[in-house]
Amino acid sequence: MNEYSSKLLEATVHELSRLPGIGKKTALRLALHILREDAVYARNLGNALIRMREEIVFCKKCNNISDNDFCEICTNSKRDEQTVCVVEDTRDVLAIENTGQFNGLYHVLGGIINPIEGIGPSDIQVKHLVERVNTEEIREIILALPATVEGDTTGFYIFKLLKPFEIKITTIARGVAVGNELEYTDEITLGRSIINRLPFEGMAE
Amino acid sequence: MNEYSSKLLEATVHELSRLPGIGKKTALRLALHILREDAVYARNLGNALIRMREEIVFCKKCNNISDNDFCEICTNSKRDEQTVCVVEDTRDVLAIENTGQFNGLYHVLGGIINPIEGIGPSDIQVKHLVERVNTEEIREIILALPATVEGDTTGFYIFKLLKPFEIKITTIARGVAVGNELEYTDEITLGRSIINRLPFEGMAE
C-alpha cells in the first residue's frame, strides 16, 4: 500500500518536505491543511510559487530581487547613490529598510564566502561590486555582513579588493543588543563593545 | 516602496504565510529558497499542490483521503472488514498503519466535536459511521481518538449512538508511554494506567 493512501498527497508531501526546516510530518500537516481549504487557495499558492520563480529577476544594479530590470530602490531618485550597503541577501535589505535608518543603495552579494559549503568569491556578486565602485560615484561602502566567521572572511576579502579605490569602507557596529542585559551577552560581543566604545552623546538617537 | 522589493515575492510570501505555523519570516525564507532552486522545483511543487487539491477524493466507505472512490485499505481483501477503527483524520490512519498492529478497516471522522471551535456532531462523519454499522458486518468498533476533552466527548457521543447495536465498542489503552519514566508521567495518565492495569503476561509482545 502507498504510505499516504494517495499518490497525489504523497507527491505534495515529497515536494514540501524538500523545503528547509520542513520534515515529512510538517509537510503532511501542511498538505492536509491545504486539502481542507478552498480549492482557490491551492491554486493561488501553487501559481504564486510558479510565477515568482519564472518571472522574478535580479536588479541589474544592486542584484536585489526585483520585478523589473532595475529595482525600486535603485530607481528611487530620493536615495543617496553615493552610499552603498553590502549585504548577504534580500532578507538583510528588508531588515535594514525596516530600521528606517538607511537612505543609500544596496549591493546584494547573494551569499557569503563559505569554504566548507564550497562557496567561493566567484560564486557571489563581488566582481560586480568592484565594477560598481569603478563606474558609479560611490563614496562609502558599508559592510553589513553576518557577525560570523564567514561574514568576517567575506568582509575582509571585499575590504582588500576595494582598498585601492579612494573610498570610505565601514562596517556596521557590533555590540550589546538594545534591551539586553550585560550578564547575558557573550564575552566576545561584550569585549568588542568595550573596544569600540562611543562618546556618550553618540548613543543618542 | 513595496515591502518585499517584488510583487511576485510578496504574493508568494502572503500565500505561504497563510499556512499553519508559518509566519511572515519563515514564508520569506522559504520563498527565497525556492528562488535559489531550479525552476523545475517551483513547477513541481506548485503543480503538486494544485493537482492534489483538485483531484483528491475521499473514500466512499471510510472517508479517508484517496485517489479513487474507494481507498486502498477498504479494497484490500486481506483486511479484516469486521473491525473498524474510528480516528480523527488521515494522520492517525498513517500513525496506526505504521505500528503494523492493526489489520482492520478505518473510519475517518474528519474532525472531532469541539464546541469552542463550533464543530458539532453534524460537522464530522458520525452519521456515516452509524450507516456503516447498520449495513456492514461490523463486530467491533475501536475508538482511537485524541486523549483530550474533545476526544473523550466525541468518543462518548459515538458510544451512545452505537450502544443500541449488538457490537463491541472498545477504546485504545491510555497509559505510561513505552520508554517513559514514571516520575515524569502526568498524574492523570499514571492514575489511569493503575486503574486499567493488566495481568503481567498481557504486557508481553
Side-chain angles (χ1 to χ4, degrees):
Chain A
M1 184 198 137
N2 180 302
E3 192 193 348
Y4 291 106
S5 76
S6 153
K7 287 197 171 47
L8 295 163
L9 177 62
E10 187 183 30
T12 303
V13 170
H14 173 74
E15 299 296 344
L16 281 173
S17 64
R18 288 179 55 191
L19 290 170
I22 297 195
K24 289 252 170 194
K25 284 208 171 180
T26 306
L28 179 60
R29 193 164 54 84
L30 296 179
L32 292 176
H33 173 87
I34 292 165
L35 274 177
R36 279 193 297 268
E37 293 284 301
D38 250 24
V40 72
Y41 174 59
R43 266 200 305 276
N44 285 348
L45 174 58
N47 288 329
L49 291 170
I50 296 169
R51 270 200 65 194
M52 175 188 74
R53 182 61 185 80
E54 266 160 28
E55 294 177 26
I56 237 171
V57 290
F58 294 94
C59 172
K60 288 189 173 166
K61 190 164 182 176
C62 75
N63 192 41
N64 194 14
I65 282 166
S66 174
D67 290 340
N68 307 300
D69 278 356
F70 291 94
C71 76
E72 292 182 52
I73 295 176
C74 286
T75 52
N76 183 343
S77 60
K78 286 181 186 152
R79 311 275 310 205
D80 166 17
E81 298 191 332
Q82 302 191 315
T83 312
V84 171
C85 183
V86 177
V87 295
E88 181 181 1
D89 69 20
T90 296
R91 276 181 292 173
D92 304 320
V93 174
L94 299 182
I96 294 171
E97 285 297 290
N98 283 338
T99 68
Q101 298 291 326
F102 181 67
N103 193 39
L105 304 186
Y106 290 93
H107 187 81
V108 178
L109 294 173
I112 45 171
I113 297 171
N114 189 336
I116 295 167
E117 292 191 12
I119 302 168
S122 59
D123 298 313
I124 62 175
Q125 299 284 328
V126 182
K127 211 177 140 195
H128 183 188
L129 176 63
V130 178
E131 277 168 30
R132 285 185 70 183
V133 172
N134 239 332
T135 55
E136 295 173 29
E137 299 282 312
I138 298 172
R139 287 200 184 174
E140 180 177 357
I141 291 283
I142 304 173
L143 299 171
L145 298 169
T148 60
V149 175
E150 292 78 18
D152 288 346
T153 306
T154 309
F156 192 64
Y157 184 84
I158 292 172
F159 177 75
K160 279 201 299 180
L161 279 180
L162 298 185
K163 223 176 158 187
F165 297 93
E166 286 224 352
I167 197 173
K168 193 169 154 191
I169 304 172
T170 57
T171 179
I172 55 167
R174 313 264 187 241
V176 180
V178 176
N180 270 17
E181 302 276 1
L182 291 198
E183 60 185 303
Y184 298 124
T185 304
D186 73 278
E187 55 209 45
I188 295 171
T189 301
L190 191 54
R192 282 233 211 168
S193 78
I194 293 168
I195 294 166
N196 301 321
R197 63 194 176 278
L198 304 170
F200 194 73
E201 59 273 26
M203 298 283 292
E205 226 294 65
Chain B
M1 183 198 136
N2 180 305
E3 193 192 349
Y4 291 106
S5 76
S6 154
K7 288 200 169 47
L8 295 162
L9 177 63
E10 186 183 31
T12 304
V13 170
H14 173 75
E15 298 297 342
L16 281 173
S17 65
R18 288 179 55 191
L19 291 169
I22 296 195
K24 289 254 170 191
K25 284 209 169 178
T26 307
L28 179 61
R29 194 164 54 84
L30 297 178
L32 292 176
H33 174 86
I34 292 165
L35 274 177
R36 278 192 298 267
E37 293 285 301
D38 250 24
V40 71
Y41 174 60
R43 267 202 303 278
N44 285 348
L45 174 58
N47 288 328
L49 291 170
I50 296 169
R51 269 200 67 192
M52 175 189 75
R53 182 61 186 81
E54 264 160 29
E55 294 177 26
I56 236 171
V57 291
F58 294 94
C59 172
K60 289 189 172 167
K61 191 165 180 173
C62 75
N63 191 42
N64 194 12
I65 283 165
S66 175
D67 290 339
N68 307 299
D69 278 357
F70 293 95
C71 76
E72 292 182 52
I73 296 175
C74 286
T75 52
N76 182 343
S77 61
K78 285 179 187 154
R79 310 277 308 205
D80 167 16
E81 299 192 329
Q82 300 191 316
T83 312
V84 172
C85 183
V86 177
V87 296
E88 181 182 359
D89 69 20
T90 297
R91 278 182 291 174
D92 304 320
V93 174
L94 299 181
I96 294 171
E97 285 297 290
N98 283 340
T99 69
Q101 298 292 327
F102 181 68
N103 193 39
L105 304 186
Y106 291 92
H107 186 82
V108 178
L109 294 174
I112 46 172
I113 298 171
N114 190 335
I116 294 167
E117 293 191 13
I119 303 168
S122 60
D123 298 312
I124 61 176
Q125 299 284 328
V126 180
K127 212 177 140 194
H128 183 189
L129 176 64
V130 178
E131 278 167 29
R132 287 185 68 183
V133 172
N134 238 333
T135 54
E136 296 173 29
E137 299 282 311
I138 298 170
R139 286 201 185 172
E140 181 177 356
I141 291 283
I142 303 173
L143 299 172
L145 298 169
T148 60
V149 175
E150 292 79 18
D152 288 346
T153 306
T154 309
F156 191 64
Y157 183 85
I158 293 172
F159 177 75
K160 279 201 301 180
L161 279 180
L162 299 183
K163 222 176 159 187
F165 298 92
E166 288 225 350
I167 197 173
K168 194 169 152 192
I169 304 173
T170 58
T171 179
I172 55 167
R174 313 262 187 245
V176 180
V178 176
N180 269 17
E181 303 276 2
L182 291 198
E183 60 184 304
Y184 299 123
T185 304
D186 72 281
E187 55 210 41
I188 296 172
T189 302
L190 191 56
R192 282 233 212 167
S193 78
I194 293 168
I195 294 166
N196 301 322
R197 62 193 178 279
L198 305 170
F200 194 72
E201 58 273 27
M203 295 282 294
E205 228 292 65

Coordinates of all heavy atoms in Angstrom, one line a residue, chain A residues 96-129:
Chain A
I96 N 17.2 46.0 7.0 CA 17.7 47.3 7.1 C 16.7 48.4 6.7 O 16.6 49.4 7.4 CB 19.0 47.4 6.3 CG1 20.1 46.5 6.9 CG2 19.5 48.9 6.2 CD1 21.4 46.4 6.1
E97 N 15.9 48.1 5.7 CA 14.9 49.0 5.3 C 13.9 49.3 6.5 O 13.4 50.4 6.7 CB 14.1 48.5 4.1 CG 14.8 48.6 2.8 CD 15.1 50.1 2.4 OE1 14.2 50.8 2.1 OE2 16.3 50.5 2.5
N98 N 13.6 48.2 7.2 CA 12.7 48.3 8.3 C 13.2 49.2 9.5 O 12.4 49.7 10.2 CB 12.3 46.9 8.9 CG 11.3 46.2 8.0 OD1 10.6 46.8 7.2 ND2 11.3 44.9 8.1
T99 N 14.5 49.4 9.6 CA 15.0 50.2 10.6 C 14.7 51.7 10.3 O 14.7 52.5 11.2 CB 16.6 50.1 10.8 OG1 17.2 50.6 9.6 CG2 17.0 48.7 11.0
G100 N 14.6 52.0 9.0 CA 14.3 53.4 8.6 C 15.6 54.3 8.8 O 15.5 55.5 8.7
Q101 N 16.8 53.7 9.0 CA 18.0 54.4 9.3 C 18.9 54.6 8.1 O 20.0 55.1 8.3 CB 18.7 53.8 10.5 CG 18.0 53.7 11.8 CD 17.8 55.1 12.4 OE1 18.6 56.0 12.3 NE2 16.6 55.3 13.1
F102 N 18.5 54.0 7.0 CA 19.5 54.0 5.9 C 18.8 54.5 4.6 O 17.7 54.0 4.3 CB 20.0 52.6 5.6 CG 21.0 52.5 4.5 CD1 22.2 53.1 4.6 CD2 20.7 51.8 3.4 CE1 23.1 53.0 3.6 CE2 21.6 51.7 2.3 CZ 22.8 52.3 2.4
N103 N 19.4 55.4 3.9 CA 18.8 56.0 2.7 C 19.6 55.8 1.5 O 19.4 56.5 0.5 CB 18.5 57.5 3.0 CG 17.5 58.0 1.9 OD1 16.6 57.3 1.5 ND2 17.8 59.2 1.4
G104 N 20.6 55.0 1.6 CA 21.5 54.8 0.4 C 21.0 53.6 -0.5 O 19.8 53.3 -0.4
L105 N 21.9 53.1 -1.3 CA 21.6 52.0 -2.1 C 22.2 50.7 -1.5 O 22.9 50.8 -0.5 CB 22.1 52.2 -3.5 CG 21.7 53.4 -4.3 CD1 22.2 53.4 -5.7 CD2 20.2 53.6 -4.3
Y106 N 21.9 49.6 -2.1 CA 22.4 48.3 -1.6 C 23.2 47.6 -2.7 O 23.2 47.9 -3.9 CB 21.2 47.4 -1.3 CG 20.5 47.8 0.0 CD1 19.3 48.6 -0.2 CD2 20.9 47.5 1.2 CE1 18.6 49.1 0.9 CE2 20.2 47.9 2.4 CZ 19.1 48.7 2.2 OH 18.4 49.2 3.3
H107 N 24.0 46.6 -2.2 CA 24.6 45.6 -3.1 C 24.4 44.3 -2.5 O 24.9 44.0 -1.4 CB 26.1 45.9 -3.4 CG 26.6 45.0 -4.4 ND1 26.5 45.3 -5.8 CD2 27.3 43.9 -4.3 CE1 27.0 44.3 -6.4 NE2 27.5 43.4 -5.6
V108 N 23.6 43.4 -3.1 CA 23.2 42.1 -2.6 C 24.2 41.1 -3.2 O 24.3 40.9 -4.4 CB 21.8 41.7 -3.0 CG1 21.5 40.4 -2.4 CG2 20.8 42.8 -2.4
L109 N 25.0 40.5 -2.3 CA 26.0 39.5 -2.7 C 25.4 38.2 -3.2 O 26.0 37.5 -4.0 CB 27.0 39.2 -1.6 CG 27.9 40.4 -1.2 CD1 28.7 40.0 0.1 CD2 28.8 40.8 -2.3
G110 N 24.2 37.9 -2.6 CA 23.6 36.6 -3.0 C 24.3 35.4 -2.3 O 24.2 34.3 -2.8
G111 N 25.0 35.6 -1.2 CA 25.7 34.6 -0.4 C 26.9 35.2 0.2 O 27.2 36.3 0.0
I112 N 27.6 34.4 1.1 CA 28.8 34.8 1.6 C 29.9 33.7 1.4 O 29.5 32.5 1.2 CB 28.8 35.2 3.1 CG1 28.0 34.2 3.9 CG2 28.2 36.6 3.3 CD1 28.0 34.4 5.4
I113 N 31.1 34.1 1.5 CA 32.2 33.1 1.3 C 32.1 32.0 2.4 O 32.1 32.4 3.5 CB 33.6 33.8 1.2 CG1 33.6 34.8 0.0 CG2 34.7 32.8 1.1 CD1 34.8 35.7 0.0
N114 N 32.0 30.8 2.0 CA 31.9 29.7 2.9 C 32.6 28.4 2.4 O 32.0 27.6 1.7 CB 30.5 29.4 3.2 CG 30.3 28.4 4.4 OD1 31.2 27.6 4.7 ND2 29.1 28.5 5.0
P115 N 34.0 28.3 2.6 CA 34.7 27.2 2.0 C 34.1 25.8 2.3 O 34.2 24.9 1.5 CB 36.1 27.4 2.6 CG 36.2 28.8 3.1 CD 34.8 29.1 3.5
I116 N 33.6 25.7 3.5 CA 33.0 24.4 3.9 C 31.9 24.0 3.0 O 31.8 22.8 2.6 CB 32.6 24.4 5.4 CG1 33.8 24.6 6.3 CG2 31.9 23.1 5.7 CD1 33.5 24.9 7.7
E117 N 31.1 24.9 2.6 CA 29.9 24.6 1.7 C 30.3 24.9 0.3 O 29.5 24.8 -0.6 CB 28.7 25.5 2.1 CG 28.1 25.1 3.4 CD 26.8 25.8 3.7 OE1 26.2 26.3 2.7 OE2 26.3 25.7 4.8
G118 N 31.6 25.1 0.0 CA 32.1 25.3 -1.3 C 31.7 26.6 -2.0 O 31.6 26.6 -3.2
I119 N 31.4 27.6 -1.2 CA 31.0 28.9 -1.8 C 32.3 29.8 -1.8 O 32.7 30.2 -0.7 CB 29.9 29.5 -1.1 CG1 28.7 28.6 -1.1 CG2 29.5 30.9 -1.7 CD1 27.5 29.0 -0.1
G120 N 32.8 30.1 -2.9 CA 34.0 30.9 -3.1 C 33.6 32.3 -3.5 O 32.5 32.6 -3.8
P121 N 34.6 33.2 -3.7 CA 34.4 34.6 -4.1 C 33.7 34.7 -5.5 O 32.9 35.6 -5.7 CB 35.8 35.2 -4.2 CG 36.6 34.4 -3.2 CD 36.0 33.0 -3.3
S122 N 33.9 33.7 -6.3 CA 33.4 33.8 -7.7 C 31.9 33.4 -7.7 O 31.2 33.6 -8.7 CB 34.1 32.9 -8.6 OG 34.1 31.5 -8.2
D123 N 31.4 32.8 -6.6 CA 30.0 32.4 -6.5 C 29.1 33.5 -6.0 O 27.9 33.4 -6.1 CB 29.8 31.2 -5.5 CG 30.6 30.0 -6.0 OD1 30.5 29.7 -7.2 OD2 31.3 29.4 -5.2
I124 N 29.7 34.6 -5.5 CA 28.9 35.7 -5.1 C 29.2 37.0 -5.9 O 30.2 37.0 -6.6 CB 29.1 35.9 -3.6 CG1 30.5 36.3 -3.2 CG2 28.6 34.7 -2.8 CD1 30.7 36.6 -1.8
Q125 N 28.4 38.0 -5.8 CA 28.5 39.2 -6.6 C 29.6 40.2 -6.2 O 29.3 41.3 -5.9 CB 27.1 39.9 -6.7 CG 26.0 39.0 -7.3 CD 26.1 38.8 -8.8 OE1 26.6 39.7 -9.5 NE2 25.7 37.7 -9.3
V126 N 30.8 39.7 -6.0 CA 31.9 40.6 -5.6 C 32.5 41.3 -6.8 O 32.7 42.6 -6.7 CB 33.0 39.7 -4.9 CG1 34.1 40.7 -4.4 CG2 32.5 38.9 -3.8
K127 N 32.7 40.6 -7.9 CA 33.2 41.3 -9.1 C 32.3 42.4 -9.5 O 32.8 43.5 -9.9 CB 33.3 40.2 -10.2 CG 34.4 40.4 -11.2 CD 34.5 39.3 -12.2 CE 34.8 39.8 -13.6 NZ 34.5 38.8 -14.6
H128 N 31.0 42.2 -9.5 CA 30.1 43.2 -9.9 C 30.2 44.4 -8.9 O 30.0 45.6 -9.4 CB 28.7 42.5 -9.8 CG 27.5 43.4 -10.2 ND1 26.2 43.1 -10.0 CD2 27.5 44.6 -10.7 CE1 25.4 44.0 -10.5 NE2 26.2 45.0 -10.9
L129 N 30.5 44.2 -7.7 CA 30.6 45.3 -6.7 C 31.8 46.1 -7.1 O 31.7 47.4 -7.1 CB 30.8 44.7 -5.3 CG 31.0 45.7 -4.2 CD1 29.9 46.7 -4.0 CD2 31.3 45.0 -2.8

